[in-house]
Structure formats: structure tokens, C-alpha cells
Amino acid sequence: MDLQDYFDFIDDENIRIQGHRVYIDNVLSNYLCGEGPDELQQRYPQMSMEKIYATILYYLANKAEVDAYMARVEKGREERYQEWLQTVASNPEYIERRERLLKAREKWIIEGKASPSGARGPDATTVST
């Protein structure tokens, strides 16, 4: 099997691991932050170690190309985020709704119905505003 057979090359900003919805930039970002194969497998339990090692090997064998890909992906994300900031995030209805949700969350934290980290317990319910 050729190493590239482990991946779906969708376009310049999307290389997905074959058979999964996980993109190589997700796995490689964690790898480049110091996570080893075992930690990556815990983070992505649906992926086999073979595919995790294939992703790392693909990166190591094509470092310049994959680094350029990762830079394109990050640039695209930043552009979409800036566009979102200019449209959705500046919408008064969005701002008002977000404020209501944050206040409701603070109230739930004080009452012990939610944790500050956002982790939900087994008896947590959804806040409706």
C-alpha cells in the first residue's frame, strides 16, 4: 500500500484521513505540540495506530509540503474567523443572545448546576433563554 492511500486529498486545504472525518492538520497539530502516537490514539480512538503512524510518516516524509498545507489551512481559518467577526459577531441580536447565555451560565455556576470549565454532569440540562 502506498502511503498516500491512507488519505483523501480533497483540495488544497482539505486532506482527510481515509475512512474518517479527521483531517491530517488536526492530528499533526497535536503531534507538533508534543503528543506521541499513544496520546493521539487516545484523542482519536476511532483511528487505528496504523493510520496515526501513517499520518506522522507522511508529515516526516513530506515536511515542506505538509507545512505549506498547514499554513494554508491556518490562513483559511483566520480569514473565515475575520469574516465571521465582521458579520455574525457584530450583529446586535447575536451579542444580546450571547450576553443572556453567559449570564445564565454564571447563575448556574453560582447555584452549582454547572461547572466553570463547561463540563456537564450527568444531571445537567440545557439552559434556555
Side-chain angles (χ1 to χ4, degrees), residues 32-93:
L32 294 172
C33 285
E35 289 187 17
D38 291 332
E39 294 163 308
L40 292 170
Q41 214 278 319
Q42 288 177 350
R43 183 179 293 275
Y44 303 102
Q46 72 279 17
M47 286 181 36
S48 67
M49 286 300 283
E50 178 182 359
K51 289 183 179 182
I52 289 170
Y53 277 112
T55 304
I56 295 169
L57 180 59
Y58 182 74
Y59 170 71
L60 295 173
N62 301 284
K63 192 172 181 328
E65 180 183 327
V66 176
D67 283 341
Y69 159 79
M70 302 259 302
R72 284 192 308 274
V73 168
E74 185 57 35
K75 181 181 178 200
R77 283 184 185 144
E78 182 61 27
E79 288 171 355
R80 288 186 297 277
Y81 175 67
Q82 292 301 322
E83 182 180 308
W84 176 82
L85 283 176
Q86 293 175 5
T87 56
V88 177
S90 62
N91 180 322
E93 291 174 13

